[in-house]
């Protein structure tokens, strides 16, 4: 299986002439799980949105398959492969099944393929009993699962979770955590943000920390001590 | 009092007996106003979307201009168009004065800013996550825009109804550039004004009933579409 990767060079973003971050080089790839941490307002969500092609950087050189792309062409690639999931997922005013179908419909999949994939995704996310319910009326945890299933049917290469666990109770966190593990096992690249140091050393291979406009990157291979010194989600789950 | 009740009874008779002249006025009114809305609404909603979702040079000026246009009286728009379309005016050669096309242009100018500003407010208050979710799930810009519109459809529909309400009952502009010509440019408001000035209330009351029923039907439809109107 070929690995999908995209590299951002000289990536910077400012708001009202205030520099949010300046990153010399950042590569994201499928099959790896990474935690992005930083205090509130450090630019984690903005960085994720840039990676997802939802926010435009002030400057960036983007390389896909070693070819330099302009922002517009890069977005075309990004929108097919990278999916961003909001902290509080937005549900369209439709049934759970229709929400899951949304992306496939817009990307022109055949009706049979859509039916088949939606059925599978409903099973995968344990949402079969809710498929005809209006997605807006679900609980926070159920909405998060619909959002995950909605992304899952599109077979993304990379999923970007913006504070995936923040609005969930213990049970909800456990379920989402299990689903993220399943996705990782299937080779999907995962980037999770957290303003708490709540990450799992068994799940994440990388830790990126955004602080004072700089991004520090720690990999597990070279910084095992760094990974051992941070709280694990099990601990967070127990404490929650 | 007697004359009012007699006129009201006659108005009902005119409506239900299928009085040709009355229904001709009603059909002209609806035909002109619906065509004006048909041209104005897509343009207004698209500009409103662009103003709410994109930053471009002159955006603030555009908002200011449309806000100003919103409060320009219909009769001023009528006067301006009269000067432009009159024989000696800059577009006099088009011979549009006292035609339905001129009325459509006038009504277009009247309802466009209202639909645009109301739609813009609706877009502004919409959740940006709708656009972001649609885009990240692979929707094209146009598909994402249509998704946003669908999610805020009740607000946009209310803007359309307000726009239609403004032009269907507007008298100043239609009178000036339409000329109130029977069977051609006489619409509901100009007919009401004319018949009332002649002291013939029955046709005026009948046309008034049509406008009231229309307002009730439109608002009832909107309420039914909105469901229970609760925040989810």
């Amino acid at each position: 299986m070929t690995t999908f990767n995209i590299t951002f060079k000289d990536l910077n973003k400012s708001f009202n002439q205030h520099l949010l971050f300046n990153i010399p080089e950042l590569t994201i790839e499928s099959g790896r799980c990474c935690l992005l941490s930083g205090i509130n307002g450090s630019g984690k969500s903005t960085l994720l949105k840039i990676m997802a092609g939802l926010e435009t950087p002030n400057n960036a050189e983007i390389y896909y398959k070693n070819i330099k792309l302009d922002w517009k062409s890069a977005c075309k690639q990004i929108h097919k492969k990278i999916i961003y999931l909001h902290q509080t997922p937005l549900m369209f005013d439709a049934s759970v099944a229709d929400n899951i179908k949304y992306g496939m419909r817009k990307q022109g999949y055949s009706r049979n393929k859509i039916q088949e994939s939606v059925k599978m995704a409903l099973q995968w996310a344990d949402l079969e009993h809710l498929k005809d319910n209006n997605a807006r009326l679900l609980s926070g945890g159920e909405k998060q699962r619909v959002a995950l299933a909605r992304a899952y049917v599109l077979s993304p290469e990379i999923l970007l979770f913006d504070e995936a666990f923040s609005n969930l109770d213990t049970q909800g966190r456990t379920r989402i955590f299990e689903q993220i593990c399943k996705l990782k096992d299937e080779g999907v690249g995962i980037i999770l943000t957290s303003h708490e140091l709540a990450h799992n050393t068994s799940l994440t291979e990388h830790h990126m920390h955004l602080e004072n406009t700089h991004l520090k990157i720690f990999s597990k291979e070279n910084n095992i001590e760094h990974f051992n010194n941070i709280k694990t989600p099990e601990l967070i789950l127990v404490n929650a | 009092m007697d004359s009012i009740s007699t006129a009201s009874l006659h108005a009902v008779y005119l409506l239900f007996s299928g009085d040709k002249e009355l229904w001709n006025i009603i059909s002209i009114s609806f035909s002109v106003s619906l065509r004006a809305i048909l041209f104005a609404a897509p343009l207004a909603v698209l500009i409103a979307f662009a103003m709410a979702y994109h930053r471009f040079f002159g955006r603030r000026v555009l908002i200011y201009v449309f806000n100003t246009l919103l409060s320009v009286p219909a009769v001023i728009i009528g006067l301006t168009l009269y000067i432009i379309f009159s024989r000696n005016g800059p577009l006099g050669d088009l011979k549009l004065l006292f035609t339905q096309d001129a009325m459509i242009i006038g009504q277009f100018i009247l309802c466009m800013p209202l639909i645009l500003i109301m739609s813009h407010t609706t877009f502004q208050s919409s959740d940006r996550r709708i656009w972001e979710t649609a885009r990240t799930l692979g929707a094209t810009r146009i598909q994402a825009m249509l998704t946003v519109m669908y999610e805020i459809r009740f607000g946009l529909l209310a803007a359309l109804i307000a726009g239609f309400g403004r032009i269907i009952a507007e008298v100043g502009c239609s009178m000036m550039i339409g000329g109130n010509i029977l069977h051609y440019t006489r619409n509901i408001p100009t007919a009401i004004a004319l018949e009332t000035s002649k002291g013939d209330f029955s046709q005026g009351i009948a046309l008034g009933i049509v406008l009231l029923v229309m307002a009730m039907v439109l608002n009832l439809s909107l309420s039914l579409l909105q469901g229970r109107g609760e925040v989810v």
Side-chain angles (χ1 to χ4, degrees), chain A residues 84 86 88 93 102 136, chain B residues 129 132 136-137 147 151 153:
Chain A
Y84 171 87
H86 289 94
T88 317
D93 187 12
Y102 181 88
R136 286 194 172 169
Chain B
R129 289 177 305 157
E132 290 176 347
T136 201
L137 293 174
T147 302
E151 294 295 314
R153 59 197 177 279

Side-chain angles (χ1 to χ4, degrees), chain A residues 191-205:
Chain A
I191 298 181
L192 298 155
T193 67
S194 177
H195 61 272
E196 307 156 1
L197 277 178
H199 56 278
N200 190 296
T201 48
S202 64
L203 185 68
T204 56
E205 285 104 9

Side-chain angles (χ1 to χ4, degrees), chain B residues 19-204:
Chain B
D19 183 75
K20 256 191 175 175
E21 195 175 305
L22 183 92
W23 283 100
N24 183 257
I25 291 167
I26 295 167
S27 75
I28 288 171
S29 220
F30 276 85
S31 148
V32 168
S33 296
L34 284 173
R35 277 185 284 168
I37 279 280
L38 206 69
F39 292 124
L43 189 66
V45 172
L46 282 177
I47 297 173
F49 176 81
M51 291 196 318
Y53 275 80
H54 298 285
R55 283 182 194 164
F56 55 87
F57 181 73
R59 189 173 141 269
R60 282 191 168 194
V61 176
L62 212 59
I63 294 172
Y64 174 77
V65 167
F66 282 114
N67 266 315
T68 310
L69 277 173
L70 194 64
S71 49
V72 173
V75 72
I76 299 293
I77 292 171
L79 175 69
T80 312
L81 289 177
Y82 187 94
I83 293 166
I84 292 170
F85 293 141
S86 61
R87 196 174 287 177
N88 296 327
L91 296 179
D93 290 344
L94 296 175
K95 293 184 177 156
L96 283 172
L97 197 62
F98 304 141
T99 63
Q100 287 190 5
D101 289 344
M103 288 167 78
I104 292 170
I105 294 169
Q107 295 195 354
F108 173 93
I109 297 170
L110 272 172
C111 69
M112 228 275 269
L114 180 64
I115 300 173
L116 193 147
I117 292 298
M118 281 184 73
S119 306
H120 180 240
T121 310
T122 310
F123 279 122
Q124 255 188 325
S125 56
S126 71
D127 194 330
R128 200 171 174 89
R129 289 177 305 157
I130 304 171
W131 170 264
E132 290 176 347
T133 305
R135 289 290 282 152
T136 201
L137 293 174
T140 61
R141 283 176 177 275
I142 292 170
Q143 287 172 333
M145 180 186 75
L146 293 174
T147 302
V148 174
M149 287 178 186
Y150 179 77
E151 294 295 314
I152 57 164
R153 59 197 177 279
F154 300 123
L156 295 181
L157 213 56
L160 291 191
I161 288 175
F164 190 68
R166 185 173 192 201
I167 55 173
I168 194 84
E170 170 282 320
V171 65
C173 185
S174 297
M175 188 75 95
M176 290 191 83
I177 55 172
N180 202 15
I181 302 164
L182 187 62
H183 303 309
Y184 186 47
T185 57
R186 183 168 300 172
N187 62 8
I188 296 176
T190 59
I192 291 176
L194 179 75
E195 297 305 324
T196 309
S197 67
K198 279 162 43 184
D200 179 9
F201 293 110
S202 51
Q203 201 181 57

